[in-house]
Amino acid sequence: MQFTVDLELEKQSSKIDVAILLATYNPDVFLSSQIESLKEQKGVNITIYWGDDGSTKESIAMTRELLLGIKCVEFLHERVGFKKNFLLLLQQAAGFEYYAFCDQDDIWLPGKLIRHISVLQKNGTAPACTHSNSVLLQGNLQIPKKSACQNHELKTLLAENCCQGATMVFNEQARQEVLDFEADEVVAHDWWMALVLSIRGQILYVEGPDLLYRQHSTNTIGHKQGIGKLKRFLDAPPRRLHGQALNLARNYSECMQTDEIKTLNKFLALGKTNFFLRSYSAFIDDHRRRAWSSEILRRLVYMIRIA
């Protein structure tokens, strides 16, 4: 696979320090390839903040052995879930210019971090994150995947996340923005960061895939199609989306523009308890999801309140 590296960054005599937030839960043989790909990142010095979510003793021992020789800080959690695992790592890692979320079974191409850092550096010191597309890896087969990115507007991100956490790199300013308030009701760590930065910073798309997104039977989330895509849609029902939006309104409304507040209030109106008022809100709601079929389903789900 082809990828490009910012040559000016690569020539820098001092490498850039990056914290990689690695979340694991009973990793298997695929973790070895992921860690090898982290070690091969160009132009950076990496420190791995490893959070394990209640794995077996055997899995923990295997991970420790794979991480030998790498600067690493270890945190062992007791089944808090992938979302909380990443958010805890976000709190625990500090003192770096740049950070990256990392899943346990993907493969990063060697120029991944430096490509994203190049984009962030050109953007200055504003709170910002980058994300990119990935290539599906099924066995030894690499399958190009269309970008899920429609736009980075609050209106869209309230209903649909396009920022894949495994591809995201972000600066210290973005980390601080997300940590300003407790993320107590969020659907996913990457979705929450995208929502916060849509109003408090910037989201930047990096062209071209730089990650092999491994698909297998034990994926926590994975790339779904057909019935699997529908199930994933229903796994984030109105109750959870409404809670996430309410948390955003409660903590970040003071720094929103007038049009953003209107957008948020319009979305929150979908949570009305009265069926007729809720149905009316669903009928007049803005178009938010990319596909109209998905958009119609979203409104119907809100009307019947699948909890």
Side-chain angles (χ1 to χ4, degrees), residues 40-295:
E40 293 172 3
Q41 290 299 299
K42 296 179 179 294
V44 295
N45 291 317
I46 64 169
T47 299
I48 295 179
Y49 281 74
W50 166 39
D52 185 84
D53 192 25
S55 294
T56 63
K57 291 180 180 179
E58 292 77 15
S59 289
I60 291 172
M62 179 195 74
T63 304
R64 283 176 177 156
E65 185 174 350
L66 290 172
L67 290 169
L68 285 175
I70 306 175
K71 191 173 181 182
C72 178
V73 185
E74 176 185 316
F75 300 93
L76 304 182
H77 309 304
E78 288 297 331
R79 296 306 293 133
V80 296
F82 79 94
K83 170 186 68 178
K84 185 69 171 177
N85 195 354
F86 274 117
L87 291 173
L88 286 171
L89 288 173
L90 197 65
Q91 294 171 1
Q92 291 153 342
F96 294 83
E97 261 192 285
Y98 302 103
Y99 304 80
F101 293 126
C102 180
D103 292 341
Q104 68 185 26
D105 44 20
D106 300 327
I107 298 176
W108 291 10
L109 298 184
K112 176 185 186 293
L113 287 175
I114 210 160
R115 290 178 68 240
H116 287 246
I117 289 170
S118 174
V119 172
L120 288 168
Q121 285 189 337
K122 291 171 184 175
N123 194 55
T125 59
C129 76
T130 56
H131 73 107
S132 60
N133 199 14
S134 57
V135 172
L136 299 180
L137 180 62
Q138 296 182 340
N140 294 320
L141 186 63
Q142 296 182 20
I143 306 170
K145 179 168 70 71
K146 289 184 178 180
S147 170
C149 194
Q150 178 181 349
N151 58 57
H152 298 135
E153 297 175 4
L154 175 64
K155 178 183 79 171
T156 302
L157 287 169
L158 284 167
E160 182 176 40
N161 180 36
C162 71
C163 299
Q164 182 184 355
T167 72
M168 291 172 75
V169 180
F170 49 96
N171 57 18
E172 169 64 13
Q173 293 84 351
R175 173 181 168 273
Q176 289 294 337
E177 288 292 347
V178 173
L179 293 179
D180 270 354
F181 300 99
E182 187 173 347
D184 52 356
E185 293 182 77
V186 303
V187 177
H189 61 290
D190 48 4
W191 198 339
W192 180 243
M193 176 169 280
L195 277 169
V196 171
L197 293 182
S198 72
I199 57 175
R200 293 288 286 170
Q202 289 183 291
I203 303 170
L204 309 165
Y205 182 71
V206 178
E207 292 288 346
D210 42 34
L211 177 146
L212 302 183
Y213 184 32
R214 195 187 298 275
Q215 299 296 288
H216 53 83
S217 58
T218 57
N219 277 115
T220 302
I221 298 179
H223 180 74
K224 308 296 184 183
Q225 293 293 337
I227 296 299
K229 193 171 185 179
L230 175 61
K231 182 180 182 300
R232 178 173 166 181
F233 180 94
L234 297 177
D235 280 343
R239 176 180 54 80
R240 296 177 65 202
L241 293 181
H242 186 267
Q244 182 169 256
L246 199 60
N247 195 35
L248 194 70
R250 185 165 52 241
N251 294 317
Y252 292 92
S253 58
E254 289 186 3
C255 54
M256 290 185 188
Q257 302 295 326
T258 302
D259 59 334
E260 291 173 334
I261 292 175
K262 288 180 178 178
T263 292
L264 187 54
N265 286 337
K266 201 169 185 180
F267 186 82
L268 289 172
L270 297 169
K272 292 182 181 295
T273 55
N274 183 284
F275 172 77
F276 296 103
L277 291 176
R278 189 170 69 250
S279 297
Y280 175 71
S281 297
F283 180 74
I284 66 168
D285 194 30
D286 296 327
H287 177 75
R288 299 178 187 272
R289 297 182 68 92
R290 282 175 300 147
W292 261 110
S293 57
S294 180
E295 175 65 17

Side-chain angles (χ1 to χ4, degrees), residues 19-39:
I20 295 176
L21 312 185
L22 170 65
T24 63
Y25 172 63
N26 285 334
D28 52 25
V29 294
F30 298 135
L31 180 60
S32 175
S33 298
Q34 172 66 296
I35 290 176
E36 284 302 313
S37 74
L38 301 184
K39 290 160 63 175

